[in-house]
Amino acid sequence: MIEKLMTLLVGILLALAGWSLTRTFELSTKQAVLLNQVDQLEFSIQILEGKMDKMVDSDEEIMEQHEQLFKKLQEGNTPSTGYSYN
């Protein structure tokens, strides 16, 4: 009788160990997939930040060009021409 109980306990322990090992492997795999996705997202964010920096630089350049244009228009706005850009 004791031998049957011991065999049953060993069987239960082996089943639990197998389940635990399977679950651990599954969680490890999911973690690796998620870490890979995080890396991809970080890379995408870096690319977007670079594009945004270029856009901001471009916007600043356009604003400077507009300011220069308005200054030139104001400098060229003499009463003799009769035109007013204000």
Side-chain angles (χ1 to χ4, degrees):
M1 179 75 168
I2 293 178
E3 289 178 15
K4 289 182 180 180
L5 276 173
M6 291 299 282
T7 304
L8 180 64
L9 287 175
V10 169
I12 291 172
L13 286 174
L14 286 174
L16 286 174
W19 175 81
S20 178
L21 184 61
T22 302
R23 185 74 178 136
T24 301
F25 180 74
E26 180 184 337
L27 291 173
S28 176
T29 303
K30 285 182 180 181
Q31 181 183 10
V33 168
L34 291 174
L35 287 174
N36 186 27
Q37 290 175 343
V38 167
D39 288 341
Q40 289 176 350
L41 287 172
E42 287 175 346
F43 181 71
S44 296
I45 288 171
Q46 288 176 350
I47 289 173
L48 288 174
E49 284 176 343
K51 288 181 180 180
M52 285 178 56
D53 289 342
K54 287 180 183 179
M55 288 176 62
V56 168
D57 292 343
S58 177
D59 287 347
E60 288 174 357
E61 185 179 327
I62 290 171
M63 288 171 52
E64 286 178 18
Q65 290 175 357
H66 282 128
E67 287 175 4
Q68 291 173 1
L69 174 65
F70 292 139
K71 284 180 185 177
K72 292 219 184 242
L73 289 174
Q74 286 176 352
E75 290 172 0
N77 188 13
T78 58
S80 63
T81 62
Y83 293 106
S84 175
Y85 295 103
N86 293 332

